[in-house]
Amino acid sequence: MTYRVAMDIGGTFTDVVRYDGRTGTVIASKAPSTPGDLAAGVFAALDRVVEDPAEISFFVHGTTQGLNALLERKGAKVLLLTSAGARDVYQIARGNRERMFELRYRKTLPLVPREHVMEAAGRLDWRGAELLPLDEQAVRQAARRARAEGFDAVAVCLLFAYANPAHEQRAGEILTEELGQDTLVVLSHEVAREWREYERTSSAVLEAYTGPVTRRYLTEIEQRFAARGLTVPVHVMQSSGGLVNAAHARRRPLQTLLSGPVGGTMGGVAAARLLSRDNAICVDMGGTSFDVSLVVGGRPDISAEAAIEGFPVLMPIVNLHTIGAGGGSLAYAEAGALRVGPESAGAVPGPACYGRGGTQPTVTDANLVLGRVDPDWFAGGLMSLDTEAARTAVAGLAGTLGMDPIQLAEGICDVANAKMAQAIRTITVEHGIEPREFALVAFGGAGAMHAAFIARELGISEVVVPRFPGAFSAWGMLEADVRRDLTHPHFRAQDDLDGPAMAAELRRLETDALDALAAQGVPGDRRRVEHAADLRYEGQDYTLTIPLRDAAEPGEPGFLGVLADRYAAAHTARYGHATPEAPIEAVMLRTTGFGTFPKSAPAAAPSPEAVAPAVREVIFDGRRHATPVLRRSALTGELTGPAIIVEETATTVVPPGCVASTDANGFLIIKVTP
């Protein structure tokens, strides 16, 4: 078994990367995604790079099954069980208004209607001490209703379960006893052992809502892979940027919600390491969406909580900003103006140039009309594009808007570029980060086609296009570590902070994390842990997570001073100010276990091929330019734009005035002029 294989299942294509441990070579390919049966697309892509699955020594993939169920509101029918008197916590949610000046603003509709919420008596205090025993008959009544009315899942969220999970554990035992294994039972303390009742309830409901479809998919994939001869565990990417095996993912399906897009971020981390750069903006432009994430100080930008589709979720998650802008994004007229996205042509029928029945123009059609795509060698020659169909689609919309078709094609690309640049500003400028201090790592099937234009709009001077950009998210999964995140509430004011007690709790969490890594099959010499604490100034509501690495042990002299200094620095970086003289308090302890596998970084780029470039006319800024079209494998030295560089998984556009070259690791570096 010599192959390490990773796969990213997108809305339009399924990308696959194979790393050969004997030769150090990497190959990538793709196949159209099959929305009706995702596994079919998975095996179609796999067959392009591996003849016998028994030769695979490691397999990982990202899935969007749970996310798609949430986006399309096609998740499970969920019954929510809460503590007596807390039935309306989930319905009331938070009172803050997300969009202050939107007159028609409405809060996101809950995934569980009020009539599907039941109560059970029993109460703990805020420290976890029992005040009233759990009403087990109420739990059994909930189980009987779930069975009678055909609920797919039951979410349990009882007050103060983060401090003492005993009542939730007993409720889980009763529900499993009554309902068996076919109904998913989700306990909030297992999903998010953190304070804030609404956020914890929302996290449990999200797992219950998306869990059944994710579990069915993972079970089917494992069974079908086993039938084909795969003998190693199937690993799944987590939203945190770490890996777990499918068995754990079935138990905690919520952790895989963003598993596909996060692979690109981890690839960005590996690329930053190879390029000796600390900071990078990762942009993934596929057929359906445009995802933005950051690498800061050589690490992925991760938060302890996030909001997905308006629902808060408490779990470590890579900060991703996603908009509906991809190669398949539809262009249309609205109120006499040009609009692009968020609706996409998808995989079926796809853009008009795919020849599958699509008639509306897309971003890919516009690029083809402008000459920026090679119709005969699209996706490495796997597809031939219908240029006339693209021209017809663009011309139809141009007639509606009273524009020249070429002018409209450039307008479609310009509108898409402006939307993507704004998405980058949302995750950088709006958080006090200057994008000009970052390199732009562009990937996805369409990312390298638009990256230089986006960088120019943002003032970024360098674009990095990795090898196999269309399958870079899959390659990033091979670079990720196995990861397990553990938390423990630790409410202490500064004067009450007990260093030895904190150290003892961190040691317990460390032991649990190492045991969890062992259960994932990670050898002892490849396990490590990192600790952090959630801190705030006394009187504040929200916290900042402060890493404890390289700090003194809790209880040692100077520890509290280091902690306070780090918190002040983090507060200044986030909010622009700090109050060093104010006392701080601890809220939560966090421990992360990492299991490292051998990395599959690509070897140096292969020797250039002696393939003469073709020359054709390409439109830039309304003018026709004689532009060389060459294979990436034939690129040597510096190349001054305009140029079109094609490869198996993507096309790179080098606009006039920009300069492209390759480095020792095979990365394509584009120097962008203002």
Side-chain angles (χ1 to χ4, degrees), residues 339-535:
R339 300 284 186 266
V340 180
E343 186 179 355
S344 171
V348 180
C353 60
Y354 282 14
R356 296 174 181 164
T359 57
Q360 287 184 262
T362 66
V363 174
T364 297
D365 293 313
N367 277 300
L368 182 58
V369 168
L370 295 171
R372 299 176 186 178
V373 179
D374 186 345
D376 300 320
W377 212 68
F378 185 72
L382 295 177
M383 294 179 64
S384 294
L385 302 182
D386 187 339
T387 305
E388 285 306 314
R391 287 173 178 161
T392 300
V394 171
L397 180 59
T400 301
L401 293 170
M403 298 175 65
D404 176 78
I406 296 298
Q407 182 186 21
L408 176 66
E410 275 209 286
I412 291 172
C413 292
D414 290 344
V415 170
N417 292 337
K419 289 181 66 174
M420 292 183 282
Q422 184 56 40
I424 294 174
R425 292 188 186 99
T426 299
I427 203 171
T428 55
V429 175
E430 293 185 12
H431 290 81
I433 295 173
E434 173 53 71
R436 287 178 293 187
E437 298 174 358
F438 286 62
L440 186 69
V441 180
F443 50 95
M449 201 179 304
H450 292 260
F453 301 97
I454 297 170
R456 183 173 282 168
E457 183 160 339
L458 293 168
I460 296 173
S461 61
E462 183 179 73
V463 170
V464 178
V465 182
R467 294 181 65 196
F468 316 114
F472 186 68
S473 289
W475 179 77
M477 296 176 193
L478 292 181
E479 293 297 302
D481 295 330
V482 173
R483 176 174 174 142
R484 290 297 304 276
D485 293 277
L486 303 175
T487 61
H488 187 79
H490 193 80
F491 293 92
R492 299 287 190 280
Q494 181 167 315
D495 292 341
D496 297 328
L497 277 175
D498 185 340
M502 180 185 288
E505 188 57 48
L506 290 173
R507 284 193 296 270
R508 186 189 67 78
L509 289 172
E510 179 171 339
T511 299
D512 292 346
L514 293 173
D515 290 344
L517 294 175
Q520 295 284 312
V522 180
D525 60 344
R526 293 180 180 167
R527 304 175 207 156
R528 63 183 176 86
V529 297
E530 292 184 0
H531 302 295
D534 286 1
L535 305 177

Side-chain angles (χ1 to χ4, degrees), residues 265-295:
T265 307
M266 301 314 295
V269 172
R273 183 184 71 247
L274 293 170
L275 292 163
S276 299
R277 288 164 175 77
D278 289 333
N279 302 324
I281 298 171
C282 304
V283 295
D284 180 0
M285 183 180 180
T288 305
S289 63
F290 178 78
D291 303 316
V292 187
S293 57
L294 300 178
V295 177

Side-chain angles (χ1 to χ4, degrees), residues 178-248:
E178 294 277 350
L179 298 172
Q181 298 298 322
D182 292 336
T183 302
L184 176 64
V185 176
V186 176
L187 307 180
S188 73
H189 77 275
E190 293 181 345
V191 179
R193 192 166 182 178
E194 301 190 34
W195 71 302
R196 295 198 190 104
E197 298 305 319
Y198 166 61
E199 284 78 4
R200 184 158 49 87
T201 303
S202 174
S203 301
V205 168
L206 274 171
E207 176 147 301
Y209 187 78
T210 62
V213 65
T214 304
R215 294 205 308 174
R216 286 194 297 270
Y217 167 75
L218 292 172
T219 299
E220 179 187 5
I221 283 289
E222 277 199 307
Q223 291 174 346
R224 291 176 68 169
F225 263 112
R228 285 184 169 230
L230 184 74
T231 59
V232 296
V234 173
H235 285 80
V236 184
M237 196 77 191
Q238 298 181 97
S239 302
S240 63
L243 307 178
V244 291
N245 61 32
H248 177 80

Side-chain angles (χ1 to χ4, degrees), residues 49-72:
V49 297
V50 176
E51 293 184 2
D52 182 4
E55 296 180 327
I56 297 175
S57 62
F58 180 84
F59 177 79
V60 59
H61 82 304
T63 174
T64 56
Q65 280 286 284
L67 182 60
N68 290 343
L70 175 62
L71 295 175
E72 298 170 10

